[in-house]
Amino acid sequence: MIIHALSDSFELEISDIAADKSISHRFAIFSLLTKKENKAKNYLLAQDTLNTLEILKKLGAEIKIYGSNISITPPRKILSPKDILYCGNSGTLMRLMIGFLSGISGFFVLSGDASLNNRPMKRICNPLKNIGAKIYGREYANLAPICIEGQKLFFFNYDSQISSAQVKTAMILSALNANGNSVFKEPKLSRNHSENMLKAMGAPLKISKDGLKIEISNLKEPLQEQDIEIPNDPSSAFYFVLAAIIIPNSKIKISNVLLNSTRIEAYKILQKMGAKIETKITQNHFESIGEIEASFSKLKGIEVKENIEWLIDEIPALAIAFALADGISILKNAQELRVKESDRIHAIVSNLKLCGIKVEEFEDGFKIEGGKVNKAKIKSYKDHRIAMSFAILGMVCGMEIDDFECIKTSFPNFIEILKRLGVKIDY
């Protein structure tokens, strides 16, 4: 696919950025803890979250889809499926389901595509095995396919050494089916969508003021069913906010965006680089939702080494901002990028070098010297965030991207919105 450089500015208001993937996954999985029908408007109908619905069907749930609205009626009892539960490319889906299914009676096999089956699962499986979970897989259940013989688990007091929303959610889900009261702690606050949503559904959780300690009681009755509208994904909105910032005289406004404090750190980094960005909260239920406005700005280099867990998904796009900024930018403490859909540190560094940018690779990040970017043929490594980030850079200098199908995992209408901005694309 060839992205042509944009020859003119744009000014646009958008309300149909992809729905939030994290909340879509959780809405679906947590519906299994209720008794009656759950409804969601604006559910993300992308490959990752459609795989979630297919897994729920195999577990006995009834799924109905009306446009972008869906309903989920949980089964009276979770089925032990005769087929593999396919997670595609989604680490979130696999890790959350490991936590949920470990405490459910039955036998379950989780698998994914080649990339997912080589991504580490021990951070989830090891603490679960320590509380009685029977989990099997390659490298002592570090690599999928993962087989689970579900059963009642022991309660726990787990002090996690890493901040991870996936670890936290998996442990909370296991604790709801444990034989007593459990405690989970983490060193820094990770994304807190799970506890926000579960608390709103009536889950027996006690959360400390700083959010770092969660007390979980075992579930004695079904949770309250959900009827929600899923906000738009700030990680998806970020690409087009970045586009407005790097294209002269451009401006964008994006509405109905999730503004949870653990999800807008990348916007704050851009602001520190000199970007003109404003956010406004328009509603606040169990999550803050609102508007983001941005306009063309001159950027300066920055060093980023804190709150990495809050901006891990936006780092490929941030690297594009670094490449176009005045001066040197440094990213550290981002080892997690090595085990995402691709080795994102390597993917970012190698592709920016092809574009003529001076880049130094570290084990946990990189150093980028901003400068003139050139059109190049870049490799997406079948990673949706690498493909979309370099498509945005292509608006400045043109870009050829080897595999663009991967964006369907998270953002099906990305190309259509690019075209609304005036971008010309050849296939």
Side-chain angles (χ1 to χ4, degrees), residues 373-387:
V373 291
N374 302 316
K375 179 179 179 180
K377 183 175 181 179
I378 71 103
K379 187 175 181 180
S380 71
Y381 297 90
K382 299 185 183 299
D383 187 327
H384 56 130
R385 298 201 187 277
I386 297 298

Side-chain angles (χ1 to χ4, degrees), residues 33 152 175-181 202-204 216-223:
L33 297 169
K152 199 74 171 179
L176 292 173
N177 285 307
N179 65 356
N181 298 331
I216 314 110
S217 299
N218 56 334
L219 201 59
K220 294 180 173 61
E221 58 184 27
L223 297 182

Side-chain angles (χ1 to χ4, degrees), residues 339-396:
V339 291
K340 301 297 280 185
E341 283 84 339
S342 67
D343 178 342
R344 285 181 176 162
I345 291 176
H346 172 74
I348 290 166
V349 168
S350 60
N351 283 320
L352 282 178
K353 285 181 178 179
L354 292 174
C355 296
I357 295 296
K358 294 181 180 179
V359 191
E360 182 179 348
E361 181 173 343
F362 310 140
E363 182 58 34
D364 65 342
F366 42 72
K367 179 170 74 172
I368 297 174
E369 183 176 343
K372 184 179 183 299
V373 291
N374 302 316
K375 179 179 179 180
K377 183 175 181 179
I378 71 103
K379 187 175 181 180
S380 71
Y381 297 90
K382 299 185 183 299
D383 187 327
H384 56 130
R385 298 201 187 277
I386 297 298
M388 290 187 287
S389 298
F390 280 87
I392 297 301
L393 182 57
M395 295 174 67
V396 174

Side-chain angles (χ1 to χ4, degrees), residues 303-306 308 315 330-335 362 364-366:
E303 182 171 350
V304 180
K305 59 183 180 180
E306 297 178 346
I308 300 300
I315 286 174
I330 297 173
L331 175 78
K332 294 182 178 179
N333 300 324
Q335 298 96 326
F362 310 140
D364 65 342
F366 42 72

